[in-house]
């Protein structure tokens, strides 16, 4: 018998996040451990009158690929992936890792090369999304591996995750519509201003936002969601920032990251763990040393770090900054083959001020 929370999450993804319509082409992809949610989404897409295409990766497929693929194969881009980015109306992606660290032994250079090979597709997907011809959403299916990373039992993690997705009630679509009001209000408050100043433990950084658009995120592209973001002016970022929450990037834990910016560019970087991988990531291309995103979390239902950035970047009382490519709809123009989010926790003594006016103090919004 299927967990009713799985059915609710499928309804959210199809009926709220991507608003699937009759006759549309919907690509549904994910890992085999997420089969219950993949099946529920497939069913909801059919009920909506659309045409689903299901792509399911086998357990351990990524590790097999990086172990055996030649350089020529690393550079190869699947025509199926190209078709999806150019032709699908909707893409619903479901992460369901059984081992978040399975790529920890892969040489960073191979992952970097793969990112560069796929960079064109990422750019095209972002462009189509910005123009409104391609809708997408990414979520997770709770697995024992994610629960272990979050230092929780699987049952507790399921309660935590479905609660963060508002999938544990009787009318989840209406719940998300109500939750979006606060995020939209904050995005409207900050719109049209000039500079964001973030201070906190080992953090004092200024980011220019003049002429940029803040995007309220209320479940259209990520589930769970809860943030508003923009692309900071590329050469405006000055100061230093410490990212307090660890993250798993490319199969490796990267934690205690410290970045120093001058004229918008990372001029010094370090990490307590995963430093070598971080430095290679920053050297992927010219744009990898500039910020493509500044995001401010608004989801107070996510109250702890989980080592999964999908959740951690949404935590109410945090900010996240992504090195790499900007989202075009924000007005950002930074180009890169990477887009990697890192999270700074302001709940234990931090502040966000905008043009000298406090927006958030100690993790609580004050406007």
């Amino acid at each position: 018998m299927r967990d009713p929370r799985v059915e609710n999450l499928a309804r959210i993804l199809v009926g709220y996040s991507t608003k699937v319509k009759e006759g549309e082409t919907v690509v549904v992809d994910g890992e085999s451990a997420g089969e219950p949610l993949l099946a529920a989404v497939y069913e909801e897409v059919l009920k909506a009158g659309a045409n689903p295409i299901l792509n399911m990766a086998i357990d351990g497929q990524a590790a097999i690929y990086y172990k055996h693929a030649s350089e020529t194969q690393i550079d190869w881009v699947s025509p199926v992936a190209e078709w999806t980015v150019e032709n699908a109306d909707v893409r619903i992606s479901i992460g369901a890792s059984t081992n978040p660290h399975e790529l920890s032994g892969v040489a960073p250079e191979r992952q970097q090369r793969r990112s560069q090979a796929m960079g064109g597709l990422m750019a095209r997907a972002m462009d189509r999304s910005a123009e409104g011809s391609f809708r997408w959403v990414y979520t997770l299916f709770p697995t024992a591996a994610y629960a272990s990373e979050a230092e929780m039992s699987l049952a507790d993690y399921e309660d935590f995750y479905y609660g963060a997705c508002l999938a544990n009630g009787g009318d989840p679509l209406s719940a998300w519509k109500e939750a979006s009001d606060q995020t939209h209000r904050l995005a409207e408050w900050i719109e049209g201003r000039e500079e964001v100043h973030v201070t906190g433990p080992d953090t004092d950084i200024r980011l220019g936002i003049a002429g940029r658009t803040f995007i309220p995120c209320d479940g259209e592209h990520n589930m769970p969601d809860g943030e508003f973001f923009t692309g900071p002016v590329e050469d405006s970022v000055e100061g230093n920032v410490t990212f307090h929450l660890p993250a798993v990037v490319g199969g490796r834990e990267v934690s205690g990251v410290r970045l120093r910016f001058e004229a918008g560019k990372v001029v010094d970087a370090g990490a307590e763990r995963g430093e070598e991988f971080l430095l290679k990531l920053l050297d992927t291309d010219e744009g990898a040393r500039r910020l493509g995103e500044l995001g401010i979390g608004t989801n107070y239902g996510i109250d702890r770090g989980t080592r999964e950035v999908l959740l951690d970047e949404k935590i109410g009382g945090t900010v996240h900054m992504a090195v790499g490519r900007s989202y075009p709809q924000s007005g950002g123009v930074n180009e890169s083959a990477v887009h990697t989010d890192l999270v700074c926790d302001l709940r234990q003594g931090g502040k966000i001020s905008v043009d000298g006016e406090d927006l958030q103090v100690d993790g609580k919004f004050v406007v």
Side-chain angles (χ1 to χ4, degrees):
M1 183 176 179
R2 186 184 292 161
D3 188 330
R5 298 173 298 183
V6 172
E7 296 182 349
N8 277 347
L9 182 53
R11 290 171 56 203
I12 292 169
L13 297 172
V14 175
Y16 174 80
S17 299
T18 57
K19 299 177 178 62
V20 171
K21 302 178 182 65
E22 184 176 356
E24 291 187 320
T25 300
V26 181
V27 173
V28 183
D29 56 38
E31 298 165 282
S32 55
E35 185 176 342
L37 182 55
L38 287 167
V41 169
Y42 187 83
E43 183 177 311
E44 288 297 322
V45 171
L46 287 171
K47 288 179 179 178
N51 302 305
I53 300 173
L54 180 60
N55 296 318
M56 188 167 67
I58 61 174
D59 189 28
Q61 181 172 324
I64 295 170
Y65 174 81
Y66 279 108
K67 181 176 181 179
H68 297 288
S70 66
E71 289 189 354
T72 299
Q73 290 170 318
I74 291 286
D75 292 336
W76 182 75
V77 178
S78 165
V80 175
E82 291 178 332
W83 185 92
T84 295
V85 167
E86 291 293 346
N87 296 279
D89 299 296
V90 175
R91 182 179 185 180
I92 300 173
S93 298
I94 299 165
S97 177
T98 57
N99 180 7
H101 298 279
E102 68 174 333
L103 302 183
S104 60
V106 177
E109 293 82 1
R110 285 172 66 76
Q111 295 186 57
Q112 180 182 6
R113 183 165 184 153
R114 186 59 181 167
S115 293
Q116 291 172 327
M118 297 297 289
L121 284 191
M122 182 175 72
R124 180 59 179 147
M126 285 185 171
D127 288 343
R128 283 194 65 207
S129 176
E131 68 189 24
S133 62
F134 180 59
R135 307 191 303 282
W136 61 271
V137 66
Y138 175 71
T139 194
L140 301 180
F141 177 76
T143 65
Y146 292 137
S148 178
E149 289 292 284
E151 300 180 359
M152 303 170 70
S153 70
L154 178 57
D156 286 344
Y157 184 79
E158 288 174 335
D159 291 343
F160 166 76
Y161 188 77
Y162 290 125
C165 291
L166 304 182
N168 51 3
D171 190 1
L173 275 64
S174 295
W176 268 108
K177 290 174 182 176
E178 292 177 9
S180 72
D181 291 345
Q182 166 82 331
T183 304
H184 280 263
R185 181 183 70 83
L186 292 167
E188 291 169 2
W189 181 90
I190 202 170
E191 191 71 27
R193 302 191 183 229
E194 302 285 326
E195 183 183 74
V196 174
H197 185 198
V198 180
T199 56
D202 300 313
T203 295
D204 190 340
I205 188 169
R206 296 178 182 272
L207 309 94
I209 57 170
R212 297 300 163 92
T213 300
F214 271 85
I215 311 296
C217 298
D218 53 5
E220 287 190 355
H221 296 307
N222 286 174
M223 186 54 60
D225 215 340
E227 66 167 289
F228 53 107
F229 76 90
T230 194
V233 177
E234 285 68 25
D235 61 357
S236 70
V237 185
E238 296 279 352
N240 59 282
V241 56
T242 296
F243 299 100
H244 309 98
L245 297 186
V248 176
V249 182
R252 291 168 170 81
E253 181 171 309
V254 181
S255 59
V257 174
R258 304 174 305 279
L259 302 179
R260 182 164 62 87
F261 291 84
E262 292 180 1
K265 186 175 182 179
V266 175
V267 295
D268 187 42
E272 295 174 0
R273 186 171 184 179
E275 182 173 292
E276 180 183 1
F277 182 77
L278 171 70
L279 296 178
K280 290 184 181 297
L281 176 76
L282 294 173
D283 288 335
T284 299
D285 49 40
E286 179 64 24
R289 283 187 173 262
R290 296 187 183 274
L291 289 184
E293 179 186 353
L294 164 68
I296 301 173
T298 62
N299 191 333
Y300 289 89
I302 307 173
D303 59 358
R304 71 197 74 187
T306 66
R307 293 183 175 83
E308 174 52 56
V309 72
L310 173 69
L311 284 85
D312 294 357
E313 69 175 4
K314 311 302 190 310
I315 297 172
T318 68
V319 297
H320 57 276
M321 301 175 195
V323 291
R325 187 172 180 84
S326 304
Y327 290 100
Q329 60 266 46
S330 72
V333 296
N334 195 46
E335 296 185 358
S336 175
V338 302
H339 179 96
T340 301
D341 294 282
L342 300 165
V343 183
C344 175
D345 194 345
L346 303 176
R347 291 174 293 178
Q348 302 300 319
K351 181 185 290 189
I352 306 171
S353 59
V354 184
D355 293 348
E357 183 178 356
D358 288 346
L359 167 65
Q360 187 186 90
V361 177
D362 295 339
K364 301 296 184 182
F365 291 103
V366 296
V367 299

